[in-house]
Amino acid sequence: MSPVSLYGSGRRPGELFLEAAVYGAACISVFLLLGIVGYVFFRGFRGLSLRFFVSVTSSLKGTAGIGGNLVNTLYLILLTLATAVPVGVGAAVWLNEYAGRGVLIRMVEFAVDTLAGIPSVIFGLFGMVLFGEVMGLGYSLLTGSLTLTWMVLPLMIKNTRTALEAVPEIWRQGALGLGAGKWDLIRTILLPSAGKGILSGIILAVGRITGESAALLFTAGSARFLPRLGAGFWRNAVGLGEKVLESGGSLTVELYLQMQNGEYDTAFAIGCVLILMVFLMNFLVKRACRRTL
């Protein structure tokens, strides 16, 4: 006689229905993803070409391309991470290792949770007034990156705190018992051990930056120009630096403008690029989570 499985014996109709509902929900999620990706690629894949990636959309020249928008998106990612990563990781380390559990800490945690739930268009209005008008930066990539910094800070802080809390307490006690100072403990034990979570937060922040459009319409503008480069290293460096203070539209902003103008083929082609970037971000997150640092 074959052994009777306790898992399969006496299963009631309600359990079978619940199991079928769970499997059905999972299948719906997969089919929804495949439907969206398939339709976007069906409409936009024909518009992808090398010229599309290196040229700039111009009604005078009759060209359609995302070269300038790709450069603008890269600027926004680098500028935002240059500010958000040190501040976010530092704030998380302070909250988790130094702050304790006082009224001030609860206020800071409440502020972080509130920032995570504020709509992006509110961030855009705030960034336009503070960075664009009060600080005089106007519509520029720097204004957009400073605004995006406020948007991704809660994500960086939460991911870093979660990674730090996952470090075993016995490691802290062992390091302190061997005579290590607080900073030595953080630098040599906690941050390397939490590296996976921090890296995952950075990659998720890049995905948030890449997919943002509402806040950037108010702060960075929608220009499509490529950096002004010339002969010589110094002149090129100056041109790349001046680009930071110029208006520039990201890929998502350009997609929005193309849809407004009725250029649906170009908009769907940009959608293909964004979906590929999302897949790349998810792949990097999976690799970061599996990697042992």
Side-chain angles (χ1 to χ4, degrees), residues 23-60:
Y23 277 102
C27 293
I28 290 174
S29 301
V30 173
F31 285 129
L32 182 62
L33 173 63
L34 293 177
I36 294 174
V37 173
Y39 182 75
V40 172
F41 270 82
F42 174 77
R43 291 289 304 272
F45 188 78
R46 291 169 295 180
L48 298 180
S49 63
L50 179 60
R51 184 179 180 182
F52 182 74
F53 284 96
V54 299
S55 61
V56 178
T57 299
S58 173
S59 57
L60 297 177

Side-chain angles (χ1 to χ4, degrees), residues 102-154:
V103 177
L104 176 61
I105 307 310
R106 290 196 294 270
M107 292 177 60
V108 173
E109 292 175 344
F110 176 77
V112 172
D113 293 335
T114 304
L115 280 175
I118 294 178
S120 59
V121 67
I122 305 299
F123 280 104
L125 291 172
F126 172 80
M128 179 184 66
V129 173
L130 177 62
F131 304 120
E133 297 180 3
V134 176
M135 298 181 62
L137 298 176
Y139 285 97
S140 64
L141 293 172
L142 182 58
T143 303
S145 66
L146 291 174
T147 304
L148 290 174
T149 299
W150 289 96
M151 297 179 62
V152 301
L153 265 180

Side-chain angles (χ1 to χ4, degrees), residues 66-87:
I66 57 172
N69 303 109
L70 280 173
V71 173
N72 295 335
T73 303
L74 181 62
Y75 265 94
L76 290 170
I77 291 173
L78 295 178
L79 291 173
T80 304
L81 292 183
T83 308
V85 172
V87 176

Side-chain angles (χ1 to χ4, degrees), residues 1-279:
M1 296 178 60
S2 60
V4 179
S5 173
L6 294 177
Y7 176 76
S9 62
R11 301 182 67 186
R12 292 176 290 184
E15 295 178 353
L16 295 175
F17 174 78
L18 180 59
E19 183 177 352
V22 172
Y23 277 102
C27 293
I28 290 174
S29 301
V30 173
F31 285 129
L32 182 62
L33 173 63
L34 293 177
I36 294 174
V37 173
Y39 182 75
V40 172
F41 270 82
F42 174 77
R43 291 289 304 272
F45 188 78
R46 291 169 295 180
L48 298 180
S49 63
L50 179 60
R51 184 179 180 182
F52 182 74
F53 284 96
V54 299
S55 61
V56 178
T57 299
S58 173
S59 57
L60 297 177
K61 299 180 181 179
T63 58
I66 57 172
N69 303 109
L70 280 173
V71 173
N72 295 335
T73 303
L74 181 62
Y75 265 94
L76 290 170
I77 291 173
L78 295 178
L79 291 173
T80 304
L81 292 183
T83 308
V85 172
V87 176
V89 174
V93 171
W94 178 76
L95 287 171
N96 208 68
E97 303 299 327
Y98 288 98
R101 299 301 305 174
V103 177
L104 176 61
I105 307 310
R106 290 196 294 270
M107 292 177 60
V108 173
E109 292 175 344
F110 176 77
V112 172
D113 293 335
T114 304
L115 280 175
I118 294 178
S120 59
V121 67
I122 305 299
F123 280 104
L125 291 172
F126 172 80
M128 179 184 66
V129 173
L130 177 62
F131 304 120
E133 297 180 3
V134 176
M135 298 181 62
L137 298 176
Y139 285 97
S140 64
L141 293 172
L142 182 58
T143 303
S145 66
L146 291 174
T147 304
L148 290 174
T149 299
W150 289 96
M151 297 179 62
V152 301
L153 265 180
L155 180 63
M156 288 296 309
I157 293 174
K158 285 179 175 293
N159 273 71
T160 304
R161 287 198 68 185
T162 302
L164 291 173
E165 291 171 354
V167 178
E169 184 64 25
I170 192 173
W171 293 10
R172 293 179 171 85
Q173 298 175 0
L176 295 175
L178 292 174
K182 191 70 172 180
W183 172 242
D184 292 328
L185 167 65
I186 294 172
R187 179 175 55 87
T188 60
I189 302 296
L190 296 184
L191 289 180
S193 300
K196 291 188 296 183
I198 296 173
L199 181 59
S200 299
I202 293 174
I203 296 173
L204 291 174
V206 172
R208 177 75 186 273
I209 296 167
T210 305
E212 184 54 47
S213 60
L216 295 177
L217 282 171
F218 292 101
T219 55
S222 57
R224 309 178 175 109
F225 306 118
L226 288 166
R228 292 188 294 269
L229 302 178
F233 174 80
W234 177 250
R235 187 171 180 180
N236 290 337
V238 171
L240 292 173
E242 290 177 346
K243 179 67 176 174
V244 175
L245 300 176
E246 297 177 356
S247 173
S250 64
L251 286 171
T252 49
V253 171
E254 181 65 18
L255 188 152
Y256 168 75
L257 295 176
Q258 293 295 336
M259 289 294 293
Q260 269 197 332
N261 297 331
E263 300 293 338
Y264 299 114
D265 292 337
T266 304
F268 276 104
I270 298 175
C272 292
V273 177
L274 289 172
I275 288 177
L276 290 174
M277 294 179 70
V278 169
F279 283 152

